[in-house]
Amino acid sequence: MGCCQSSFLRVSVSQEKASNNNSLHQAQNHHASNPSNGTDAASAASEGFRGFTEFSLADLKAATNNFSPEFIVSESGEKAPNVVYKGRLQNQDTRTWIAVKKFAKLAWPDPKQFADEALGVGKFKHQRLANLIGYCCDGDERLLVAEYMPNDTLAKHLFHWENQTIEWALRLRVALYIAEALDYCSSEGRPVYHDLNAYRVLFDENGDPRLSCFGLMKNSRDGKSYSTNLAYTPPEYLRNGRVTPESVIFSFGTVLLDLLSGKHIPPSHALDMIRGKNILLLMDSHLEGNFSTEEATMVFDLASECLKYEPRERPNTKDLVATLAQLQNKPDVPSYVMLGIPKHEEGPPTPKHPLSPMGDACSRMDLTAIHQILVMTHYKDDEGTNELSFQEWTQQMREMLEARKRGDVAFRDKDFKTAIECYSQFIDVGTMISPTVYARRSLCHLLCDQPDAALRDAMQAQCVYPEWSTAFYMQAVALAKLNMHKDAADMLNEASALEEKRQRGGKGS
């Protein structure tokens, strides 16, 4: 009984912590939504990073499966070819996803020059950037390591979408956020961004657009960075081969055209249409008219200012932010909703012990996989936990077992509300105690967005079966849902340690 009492005490502490976390989360959201806090926002964003790391080549090989072609996310550059891989660092408590940019061997012959350039970019940390977190110089290898953005590029969502195009409000948000990123870089003394285009705009786990930090660094020591078609290249670059802050504004104008048209249209062609007042002809037909003509006209006007032939006639980054900030029309709608992706929920960090399929599913917060495992496991883990008497043959016992059976059918068929009702009938009788029923009802509560109830059930499962790893795993998922990630990580470690202990004892998992 003491176990259950301490468990419920822990639930109340959990709720208090969750409430505090929610307050902190709201404060952070309020802070992040105020773009005028440029320096403060940068400081807040950088708190999540532990400095700037010089990675070993072995670390990056392990993270990318020895730079496997299956891990390639982009390839670009003719004059200075480079490849970007996704990878996962395995030597930390949290298995961090990263993006690794691998340069051609001759792009940076001098390792010191490459390291200095990387360190220069690594100083910049901002919520609108996919930030640089490290680099590697090893022999001829030159690599940059950045935060990984899991939801593709602006180019993919504009030009190669499958399910839905980007709605107008999100296009305006993309334009503003990238302008804010450029303004931050400019205000911090790094106004030159190389080859700005729709492939440099990435969407993070929350669907928010961010500017790739890779463009802050030249593709090679000689700065021959423009690899796009010459039709999109700033005219001054064609004249003298140099990238200037004004060149970046020109390229931003081409991104505005992409956002308006949903196509990669050469600036000269688009400007002819603008001069001819054929604005509606230029607009993306996939928007199906769901945009404000007044807002579109303002974006057109800004694009035409950015694309002026004379660099000195183009607006600066603060002008871009000021114009685009007033056009935002859905400030309270999260980007993931407009992008049509699931809400990102942070799972507990990976434990130190090897994970079973159940542990892996819980670490990934994959409720569907957890459901499949519990269905397949059935009640084999309940052996030895029930003390049955002659009451098993009473009418009450038969009704109780029938309630569990109905709950199992509903659970298998993913009718989770019915499963909760049936399992509750079984539990309330109290004649027979089943940790599996508690674990199953815990998952049902999670799938019905009731993490507090899920945590209580998982703790009750632990009371019934103190050495059962599944009870701890379910607590880890519930704690993570309550934003108590440190407690979730501890619980995940405890569960994996129990599994390892059982395997050493020859009892299986």
Side-chain angles (χ1 to χ4, degrees), residues 423-472:
Y423 286 146
S424 297
Q425 291 173 21
F426 172 86
I427 289 169
D428 290 344
V429 171
T431 306
M432 181 178 175
I433 300 174
S434 166
T436 296
V437 167
Y438 279 117
R440 288 184 168 208
R441 194 173 71 168
S442 176
L443 178 63
C444 291
H445 283 308
L446 286 171
L447 287 157
C448 294
D449 200 24
Q450 299 165 352
D452 285 317
L455 183 60
R456 283 194 291 272
D457 274 349
M459 288 175 172
Q460 284 288 11
Q462 179 193 344
C463 289
V464 178
Y465 189 173
E467 299 291 309
W468 193 34
S469 59
T470 296
F472 290 82

Side-chain angles (χ1 to χ4, degrees), residues 203-329:
F203 291 91
D204 67 17
E205 64 273 7
N206 296 312
D208 286 326
R210 299 217 223 164
L211 185 61
S212 170
C213 63
F214 292 149
L216 290 170
M217 185 163 170
K218 294 178 290 188
N219 274 348
S220 62
R221 62 175 179 172
D222 60 9
K224 300 294 184 184
S225 297
Y226 270 89
S227 56
T228 54
N229 188 300
L230 292 180
Y232 304 93
T233 303
E236 63 274 13
Y237 182 81
L238 296 177
R239 291 198 299 267
N240 56 35
R242 289 180 58 248
V243 182
T244 67
E246 293 77 19
S247 307
V248 180
I249 302 299
F250 183 94
S251 296
F252 182 78
T254 68
V255 174
L256 291 180
L257 292 181
D258 294 343
L259 290 166
L260 290 164
S261 66
K263 306 178 189 68
H264 204 31
I265 298 176
S268 58
H269 180 54
L271 286 172
D272 286 342
M273 298 175 76
I274 293 172
R275 292 187 194 102
K277 303 299 181 185
N278 293 324
I279 291 176
L280 295 179
L281 186 61
L282 188 58
M283 290 300 294
D284 188 350
S285 60
H286 294 110
L287 288 170
E288 297 179 341
N290 294 316
F291 61 89
S292 159
T293 304
E294 182 181 355
E295 291 169 354
T297 302
M298 290 182 70
V299 177
F300 274 119
D301 291 342
L302 185 62
S304 62
E305 291 291 313
C306 293
L307 296 169
K308 284 190 173 179
Y309 185 83
E310 289 297 334
R312 65 178 180 273
E313 295 179 1
R314 298 170 196 158
N316 59 36
T317 55
K318 294 201 180 306
D319 296 331
L320 303 180
V321 172
T323 301
L324 293 165
Q326 61 184 308
L327 297 179
Q328 304 305 302
N329 57 28

Side-chain angles (χ1 to χ4, degrees), residues 136-155:
C136 173
C137 271
D138 189 323
D140 290 333
E141 298 291 351
R142 306 285 182 266
L143 304 112
L144 296 178
V145 183
E147 298 174 280
Y148 177 65
M149 302 289 109
N151 285 306
D152 293 315
T153 65
L154 177 62

